[in-house]
Amino acid sequence: MNASISSELGNISSSFWIMVLLAVAIAAGTGFAAGIFYARWSDKRSFSKARAGVAQLFQTVISTIDTAQEVCRLLEKCPGTFLKPNQTEQLVQKRNGLLEAISGLVRRHDPSFDATPSPVVAPSPEPTPFNVEWTIEPTDPATGLPGRQAFDENLALLMNAGQESERTSGLLLIKIDKFENLRSRLGVGDSDKLVKKMMAVVCRSVRDEDLVCRYSADMLAILMPDTDPETGRSVAGAARDSIRAYHFRVEEHGPEIFVTASFGYTACRPLDNPDLAVNRGADALSKSQQRGRNQLHAHDGQSIKHCLAG
């Protein structure tokens, strides 16, 4: 019986130690796994903290540079010279050191970075405003428009304003076709009435800033300030279309009188003079007269181009 009890105790002792060893193995494995997990979690946490620290350092650098710029601008506004030679030298050293440090940091993240400072480009000067104040007197008695003398004075003002502002303007000459025939048929008074009606038609077709003048008995001249060539030709075309579409009558209920005109446009460039502008406009007008009624030609400074016909 003693032998049986001893055998059972031996079996229990063996099972116990197996269980103990198994428990130790499980604990060791669990601890090892937990250690690996903690190590990885700790690395991620440390990396996150490091990234947050770098971002905070970057913001500190930016904020410090901004503050230094603001202080330097404030000091720059102080009257007189107040820095001692050694202080100026210190600022130069600090500036060079800061540039080297920033350049090295940027170059590390962008190898193509060129630390050579970009040349300072001076800001473009403010454009000179185009200012011209028209002279209305003396006026033409028949139409109330500025007359030839006023036209000459206003053209000179226009050219001076263009030279000062370096901007282009425009000149449009309008000549009534066969005006001498109209005058001989209708008389001076009625022919002037037609000119006045044409003046009203033209004034409605041009811009508010443009000036319509009576250049001669059968001609109108329109000055267009600060106008590029394309816009000038467009305004000239509108004037031509308005005359072409209008039904002229001396009296409101009188018979319709067939009236047409020829048109010559030229750009007035900053280096032009009044005589040159008038001559170019007259050359363009002459081409229109040669081609027929209601023609528009434009002089671009080099050649004359046909724009509208019929």
Side-chain angles (χ1 to χ4, degrees):
M1 181 166 181
N2 290 334
S4 175
I5 292 173
S6 298
S7 176
E8 290 180 2
L9 289 175
N11 292 335
I12 293 174
S13 178
S14 298
S15 299
F16 172 76
W17 287 112
I18 291 173
M19 293 296 294
V20 169
L21 291 174
L22 183 60
V24 170
I26 292 173
T30 303
F32 180 74
I36 293 175
F37 174 79
Y38 177 79
R40 291 181 177 178
W41 176 80
S42 179
D43 290 342
K44 290 182 179 180
R45 184 179 180 186
S46 299
F47 181 70
S48 298
K49 286 184 176 181
R51 290 189 61 180
V54 170
Q56 186 174 2
L57 285 174
F58 175 79
Q59 292 300 327
T60 301
V61 170
I62 296 299
S63 177
T64 303
I65 293 176
D66 289 341
T67 302
Q69 287 178 336
E70 292 177 4
V71 173
C72 287
R73 291 192 183 102
L74 289 175
L75 292 175
E76 192 177 7
K77 296 178 181 179
C78 294
T81 56
F82 53 87
L83 292 179
K84 298 178 181 179
N86 64 325
Q87 292 176 323
T88 304
E89 185 179 353
Q90 288 179 4
L91 283 177
V92 173
Q93 293 176 352
K94 294 297 182 182
R95 182 198 63 177
N96 295 338
L98 179 62
L99 288 176
E100 291 178 3
I102 293 178
S103 299
L105 180 60
V106 174
R107 193 181 298 109
R108 176 182 175 185
H109 294 80
D110 182 8
S112 63
F113 171 72
D114 184 6
T116 304
S118 302
V120 178
V121 179
S124 301
E126 290 292 329
T128 303
F130 192 102
N131 294 322
V132 59
E133 295 184 6
W134 300 127
T135 299
I136 305 303
E137 302 290 341
T139 60
D140 171 60
T143 61
L145 292 174
R148 174 61 183 272
Q149 181 180 340
F151 166 80
D152 291 337
E153 294 176 1
N154 285 304
L155 178 59
L157 293 174
L158 183 75
M159 303 303 291
N160 289 336
Q163 291 175 2
E164 292 176 357
S165 63
E166 297 183 352
R167 298 184 191 178
T168 301
S169 296
L171 169 63
L172 173 64
L173 298 179
I174 303 175
K175 186 177 179 66
I176 301 175
D177 295 324
K178 311 292 184 181
F179 183 73
E180 290 301 324
N181 294 340
L182 288 174
R183 176 159 282 190
S184 62
R185 181 159 58 94
L186 301 174
V188 175
D190 286 349
S191 61
D192 281 342
K193 288 181 180 179
L194 291 178
V195 174
K196 193 170 183 178
K197 289 180 180 292
M198 180 176 289
M199 172 269 297
V201 171
V202 171
C203 287
R204 288 195 295 268
S205 66
V206 299
R207 306 169 302 177
D208 293 340
E209 61 268 30
D210 299 332
L211 181 67
V212 181
C213 304
R214 188 171 189 181
Y215 187 81
S216 65
D218 60 347
M219 286 182 63
L220 300 177
I222 295 91
L223 297 174
M224 305 178 190
D226 194 9
T227 305
D228 62 85
E230 183 177 355
T231 301
R233 289 192 297 270
S234 177
V235 174
R240 175 257 186 194
D241 292 341
S242 65
I243 293 176
R244 182 173 179 270
Y246 190 78
H247 300 283
F248 287 92
R249 291 179 171 87
V250 175
E251 302 297 338
E252 183 178 356
H253 300 292
E256 182 177 343
I257 299 174
F258 183 63
V259 179
T260 61
S262 298
F263 304 80
Y265 176 81
T266 183
C268 303
R269 304 184 186 279
L271 298 180
D272 294 342
N273 59 65
D275 289 339
L276 179 61
V278 171
N279 289 337
R280 286 205 305 245
D283 289 342
L285 177 63
S286 178
K287 286 288 186 181
S288 293
Q289 290 180 288
Q290 294 172 14
R291 196 176 182 104
R293 298 173 182 262
N294 290 326
Q295 306 290 317
L296 169 61
H297 284 75
H299 203 307
D300 61 6
Q302 301 295 329
S303 60
I304 300 174
K305 296 181 179 178
H306 184 227
C307 299
L308 292 171

